Amino acid sequence: MPMTAISPQTTAADGRVELAPGAYPADSPFSNADLHPVPLAERRWTTYNFAALWIGMAVNIPSWTLASGLVALGMDWKQAVLTIALGNVIVLLPMLLTGHAGPKYGIPFPVLARASFGLRGANLPALLRGLAACAWFGIQTWIGGASIYFLAGRIFGAGGWWTEAGTVAGYPWTQWLCFLLFFAIEIVIILRGMEAVRRLENWAAPLMLAGALALLWWIAAKAGGFGPLLDQPSQLGWGGDFWKVFFPALMGMVGFWSTLSLNIPDFTRFGVGQRAQVWGQSLGLPTTMAAFALLSVLVTSGSQAVYGEPIWDPSQLAARMDSTAGVVFALLVILLATLSTNIAANLVSPAYDLSNIAPRLITFRTGALIACVVGVVIFPWKLIENPDVYIFTWLGTVGGLLGTVAGILIADYWLLRRTRLELAGLYTEGSVYWYSSGWNPRAVTAFAVGAVLAVGGSYSAPGRGPFPEDGLIPFLKPLADYGWAVGLAASLALYLLLMAPGRARRPDGRRPDGRRPGGR
């Protein structure tokens, strides 16, 4: 492939950049083999790989229960699917924008964040993103263990020693055993590296779609149709009551994948080019999430007709199949769905984020192990017990904070630097990205202001959440329902204002985008 020399980095004809050997000190405290830019020869993920990645991540039990949570809040199935689909179309845009740096430079999210926050300051958004991923890891690991528990219970016989075992902390010890087993499986896969993740997603995606459709076919055959839930009218209508729930719920749907909208470069850095990541993500995310939400509503409506009650958990529904072989297949698909989602969405990111804290001490694999432990210790599965807490408190708050980070990254990479980065400087102390002792105080200020505006007005209905009814900061309460959008817009605008060329000049006198004052 023809190359044009741009020392100390080279640019291929398709615009992808590779760092030249020896471009920065070999003993740099800000680099290790996992954080170093991926060589061009190793960037080989195709459109199918990215689409399969999103199918593998989107097809999981929390995605399945999103629609149920919205229906529980008063929406009908059409309103729930619309809210989920629109939320994923919205979050797709920042994913494509932040994902651009991956194929072009081969760098992960925490290294990209160094351009705006500084070589040390990047640990702030990286840790915020990493902690959110650890919480999700705990939720998904518990769900995966529960799938094994239900599967084994069907094999050993319901009502037997397996399901009636003594309890520990409110759950049978056999369920805790399944939780630890699933935990161990995840560790084995992640320790094999990103290539193992790619292979898992490639095989898991088509199998999971086939399994979900098989579950739909089975319940349709038993129910004779999908009447009950589809005919249920909305408790909110399409008036003011609906819009009061719609906007915070929409921000919750955005918050569901707001974590990935930041660390998507962790995956796109392996892409063969921009077309692969753009088409792969566009085809894989919004379509899968909308279709999966509709599928969950249809299957649950069928369970209402067959069993007289809606069964939202696909693991519990599959366990009621008449055929043991059918139960085994269905629960294995659910297990695979949870496994593929948890590893890709909730272990890859904190592994890089934790490695970024101390690159010389923490590798990708060490970071993944630390994330596993943190994800278990904080017991985050309590978050999904209540749809108000799950959608509004958890997803809304996390989405607001991460939207603030996304605004800064987009402003810096696209509007300030025009996608131009000096790769060696991202690993070198004293470079243009060093700012003040490794921190960019302007980025920190923009983040702090955006975060306060995004989540400062967070509120809860009486007895239904941790926040005061009037909001943490009462006069900001009107903004709380739009937390992700407020955080992104506020931090983006403020960062650009603070980093205006006249205020933020590089040591060589050039503007932050690399141009000379008044020209190129």
Side-chain angles (χ1 to χ4, degrees), residues 231-244:
D231 293 337
Q232 181 178 339
S234 170
Q235 299 176 26
L236 304 173
W238 289 94
D241 291 339
F242 168 73
W243 298 112
K244 290 178 182 178

Side-chain angles (χ1 to χ4, degrees), residues 318-334:
R320 298 197 182 196
M321 286 183 173
D322 300 326
S323 166
T324 300
V327 173
V328 172
F329 173 73
L331 290 180
L332 282 177
V333 170
I334 293 170

Side-chain angles (χ1 to χ4, degrees), residues 54 79-80 98 111 175-176 199 206 273 276 318 326 333 349 361 366 388 448 486:
W54 274 113
Q79 293 170 331
T98 56
V111 175
Q175 186 166 354
W176 286 109
R199 291 175 179 173
V333 170
S349 169
L361 299 176
T366 304
D388 286 277
V486 169

Side-chain angles (χ1 to χ4, degrees), residues 31 81 131 135 153 325 393 427 445 459:
S31 177
V81 172
L131 287 174
T393 303
Y427 302 89
T445 299
Y459 65 93

Side-chain angles (χ1 to χ4, degrees), residues 212-240:
L213 291 174
L215 189 61
L216 174 64
W217 176 83
W218 168 75
I219 197 66
K222 292 185 70 69
F226 299 102
L229 194 58
L230 297 184
D231 293 337
Q232 181 178 339
S234 170
Q235 299 176 26
L236 304 173
W238 289 94

Side-chain angles (χ1 to χ4, degrees), residues 305-364:
V306 174
Y307 299 107
E309 60 176 338
I311 302 174
W312 290 105
D313 188 336
S315 298
Q316 297 184 26
L317 180 61
R320 298 197 182 196
M321 286 183 173
D322 300 326
S323 166
T324 300
V327 173
V328 172
F329 173 73
L331 290 180
L332 282 177
V333 170
I334 293 170
L335 187 65
L336 182 61
T338 306
L339 181 66
S340 64
T341 300
N342 215 20
I343 290 176
N346 303 321
L347 271 187
V348 171
S349 169
Y352 283 124
D353 296 337
L354 292 169
S355 179
N356 190 68
I357 297 175
R360 311 304 292 179
L361 299 176
I362 303 176
T363 64
F364 174 83

Side-chain angles (χ1 to χ4, degrees), residues 55 124-125 197 318-319 331 385 465 467:
I55 294 172
L124 172 63
V197 174
L331 290 180
E385 292 181 350
F467 301 124

Side-chain angles (χ1 to χ4, degrees), residues 9 19 105 420-427 432-433 506 508 514:
Q9 58 194 38
L19 195 59
Y105 294 103
R420 299 183 183 92
L421 295 177
E422 297 177 5
L423 277 180
L426 295 172
Y427 302 89
V432 63
Y433 308 115
R506 290 174 20 160
D508 61 6

